């Protein structure tokens, strides 16, 4: 992904380009003046030497800047940083030789001051600039000896000194901007890395949440339906062995209905919709039909189980999540009743009590000791009913209480606060 340059990075880029352009222009002007003989009548040897040294200086300067730019764009490329001091020494040496040829090359010193501040540490850069300024003043005086107003003049001293001072101030500002840009780059890289890690963490959490949701849905619907199909199939087979065709047909009808309901549930998972039973009717009617179905299936298995539904309060139109949670809770509780309780009667009570809705499932079965009962998932995929129910209720800030004792039946009580409505709870 291409990074968008910041304001500081843009300023630094403009300054670097200006520095390189300024160096090239000043060097070219000095070469033109040398060839044209503007500052005097240089010998052919001086002109040739000046051209050769200028070409060498331009080549060394260009190679160093290109290598630095390539490494800045791709850190895996050759890193010229360890050799930057030698490169600067070569540039300064070629410049000093050009100063001996012609005083016109004195003005090239100003971009070189910036190079010294950029390449060298501040402890070394400032003395290097002082020495370069002194050499520049000496070169200007040396080349002015044959002129009419020869000798050391004030302009020869003040010009290089002011130029060096301006270069130092500007160079220090450039260094401060460079450090700020580098810090911004590091912070941006950390931010991108943190975003990537956060996105991965959120993705993993989403995957885990979806797995848990599917596990709850499968346990509360498909697994229980398949269990009922297996039991009904065995019961139908036993009825056929005994020659009771009517009972066998009745139990096979229940198998067919249960399989159809499971198929509808599976398709609902794919569409991520509300349970099919709630698509056809409201929660109250769905729970009433669930009790009738439980009693019918128990009778088909040869168990005398009476299942009754009771409604307390005025029913409210609950959100789909609330209806699904209450329906799954009733399905799981009734499945546990006929699978473990050996009860003769069970009562499902749905109550709308002001700011909350409750669901109580009571059976008169054998009961158990809640403190010692195993409620954790087992390795074969069973035993996740209560855990699944608690997770569903936790999402709605609800609670689950189980009251039971050996020989005294069991009560499963759910309490869910009603969602806030306009004008109150």
């Amino acid at each position: 992904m291409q990074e968008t340059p910041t304001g500081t990075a843009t300023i630094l880029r403009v300054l670097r380009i200006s520095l390189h352009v300024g160096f090239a222009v000043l060097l070219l002007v000095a070469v033109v003046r040398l060839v044209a003989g503007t500052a005097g009548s240089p010998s052919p040897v001086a002109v040739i030497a000046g051209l050769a040294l200028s070409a060498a200086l331009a080549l060394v300067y260009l190679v160093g800047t290109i290598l630095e730019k390539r490494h800045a764009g791709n850190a895996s490329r050759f890193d010229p940083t360890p050799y930057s001091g030698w490169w600067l020494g070569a540039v300064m040496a070629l410049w000093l030789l050009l100063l001996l040829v012609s005083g016109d090359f004195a003005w090239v010193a100003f971009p070189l001051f910036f190079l010294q501040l950029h390449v060298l540490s501040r402890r070394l850069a400032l003395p290097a600039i002082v020495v370069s300024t002194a050499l520049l003043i000496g070169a200007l005086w040396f080349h002015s000896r044959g002129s009419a107003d020869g000798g050391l003049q004030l302009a020869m001293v003040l010009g290089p000194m002011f130029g060096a001072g301006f270069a130092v101030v500007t160079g220090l500002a450039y260094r401060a901007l460079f450090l700020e840009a580098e810090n911004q780059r590091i912070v941006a890289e950390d931010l991108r890395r943190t975003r990537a890690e956060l996105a991965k963490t959120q993705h993993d959490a989403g995957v885990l949440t979806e797995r848990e949701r599917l596990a709850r849905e499968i346990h509360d619907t498909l697994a229980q339906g398949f269990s009922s199909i297996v039991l009904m199939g065995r019961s139908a087979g036993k009825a056929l062995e005994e020659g009771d065709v009517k009972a066998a047909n009745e139990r096979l009808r229940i198998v067919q209905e249960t399989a159809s309901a499971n198929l509808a549930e599976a398709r609902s998972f794919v569409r991520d919709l509300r349970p099919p039973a709630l698509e056809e009717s409201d929660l109250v009617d769905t729970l009433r039909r669930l009790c009738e179905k439980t009693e019918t299936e128990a009778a088909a298995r040869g168990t005398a189980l009476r299942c009754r539904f009771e409604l307390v309060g005025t029913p409210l139109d609950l959100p789909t999540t609330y209806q699904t949670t209450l329906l799954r809770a009733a399905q799981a509780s009734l499945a546990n009743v006929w699978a473990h309780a050996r009860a003769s009667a069970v009562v499902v009570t749905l109550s709308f009590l002001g700011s909350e809705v409750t669901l109580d499932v009571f059976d008169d079965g054998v009961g158990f000791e809640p403190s010692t009962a195993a409620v954790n998932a087992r390795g074969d995929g069973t035993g996740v009913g209560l855990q699944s129910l608690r997770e569903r209720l936790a999402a709605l800030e609800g609670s689950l209480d189980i009251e039971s004792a050996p020989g005294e039946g069991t009560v499963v009580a759910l309490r869910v606060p009603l969602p806030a409505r306009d004008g109150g709870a």
Side-chain angles (χ1 to χ4, degrees):
M1 182 177 62
Q2 186 176 4
E3 298 180 13
T4 302
T6 60
T8 304
T10 302
I11 294 174
L12 291 174
R13 183 178 293 107
V14 171
L15 289 176
R16 283 195 296 268
I17 294 175
S18 301
L19 174 64
H20 298 327
V21 171
F23 176 84
V25 170
L26 291 175
L27 182 60
L28 180 60
V29 169
V31 170
V32 171
R33 288 175 60 86
L34 174 64
V35 174
T38 304
S41 301
S43 64
V45 176
V47 173
I48 295 174
L51 291 175
L53 290 172
S54 297
L57 176 59
L59 179 62
V60 172
Y61 186 93
L62 184 62
V63 169
T65 54
I66 290 177
L67 290 177
E68 182 185 21
K69 183 173 179 58
R70 285 164 61 90
H71 177 70
N74 187 354
S76 62
R77 293 181 180 271
F78 172 73
D79 184 8
T81 304
Y83 308 97
S84 58
W86 294 98
W87 172 76
L88 179 62
V91 170
M92 296 301 297
L94 291 171
W95 172 68
L96 290 176
L97 292 176
L98 285 171
L99 275 182
L100 294 178
V101 174
S102 173
D104 291 327
F105 292 97
W107 310 114
V108 182
F110 296 108
L112 296 182
F113 290 154
F114 290 102
L115 283 183
Q116 291 172 337
L117 285 168
H118 179 67
V119 174
L120 301 177
S121 63
R122 187 181 302 180
R123 181 173 56 87
L124 297 177
L126 295 180
I129 292 176
V130 172
V131 172
S132 299
T133 303
L135 293 174
L136 178 58
I137 294 173
L140 292 175
W141 170 77
F142 175 78
H143 288 290
S144 67
R145 288 180 304 164
S147 61
D149 51 353
L152 187 63
Q153 301 178 20
L154 184 61
M156 296 180 185
V157 178
L158 292 182
M161 290 182 63
F162 275 109
F166 176 79
V168 168
V169 174
T170 308
L172 293 178
Y174 175 88
R175 181 185 288 268
L177 285 174
F178 177 80
L179 293 177
E180 180 183 353
E182 186 67 13
N183 290 333
Q184 290 179 352
R185 183 186 65 81
I186 295 174
V187 171
E189 289 180 354
D190 292 340
L191 179 60
R192 283 192 295 272
R193 183 169 58 252
T194 302
R195 283 179 177 175
E197 294 175 353
L198 179 60
K200 183 178 183 302
T201 301
Q202 291 177 339
H203 176 267
D204 294 342
V207 170
L208 181 60
T209 301
E210 184 64 11
R211 285 178 178 175
E212 293 175 349
R213 185 187 73 84
L214 289 176
R216 290 194 299 266
E217 294 292 339
I218 291 173
H219 173 271
D220 293 343
T221 57
L222 300 182
Q224 293 180 8
F226 290 144
S227 177
S228 178
I229 289 173
V230 170
L231 293 176
M232 286 292 100
R234 291 174 181 173
S235 180
K238 184 177 180 181
L240 287 175
E241 291 176 357
E242 296 174 353
D244 191 350
V245 178
K246 182 178 179 180
N249 288 335
E250 176 65 18
R251 292 163 191 176
L252 288 176
R253 183 188 62 80
I254 295 175
V255 168
Q256 183 179 4
E257 292 178 353
T258 305
S260 298
N262 269 22
L263 179 60
E265 291 285 359
R267 289 172 176 169
S268 176
F269 294 161
V270 175
R271 297 191 306 268
D272 196 24
L273 300 175
R274 62 189 301 184
L278 293 176
E279 291 286 342
E280 302 172 357
S281 59
D282 59 17
L283 179 62
V284 173
D285 291 337
T286 301
L287 292 176
R288 184 176 287 111
R289 289 202 309 271
L290 176 62
C291 288
E292 294 173 356
K293 179 184 176 183
T294 300
E295 189 169 315
T296 301
E297 291 182 354
R301 292 193 298 270
T303 302
L305 175 64
R306 291 178 292 104
C307 184
R308 187 174 77 255
F309 172 75
E310 294 183 356
L311 174 65
V312 177
T314 303
L316 299 176
D317 185 14
L318 300 175
T320 300
T321 306
Y322 286 70
Q323 296 186 50
T324 302
T325 298
L326 293 172
L327 175 59
R328 298 306 188 214
Q331 289 173 331
S333 299
L334 291 177
N336 287 332
V337 169
W338 61 256
H340 307 293
R342 298 197 294 275
S344 61
V346 58
V347 179
V348 178
T349 304
L350 178 66
S351 305
F352 292 87
L353 306 175
S355 61
E356 64 182 10
V357 58
T358 66
L359 179 70
D360 299 321
V361 180
F362 164 75
D363 70 79
D364 61 354
V366 296
F368 61 92
E369 183 60 48
S371 60
T372 59
V375 295
N376 295 324
R378 293 182 283 273
D380 59 356
T382 61
V384 299
L386 291 178
Q387 177 182 345
S388 171
L389 188 54
R390 286 193 175 96
E391 291 173 353
R392 288 181 182 275
L393 291 170
L396 302 179
E397 299 182 356
S399 63
L400 170 66
D401 294 319
I402 300 177
E403 299 179 6
S404 183
E408 297 185 8
T410 302
V411 177
V412 177
L414 290 80
R415 304 172 67 88
V416 182
L418 290 174
R421 298 175 181 269
D422 295 338

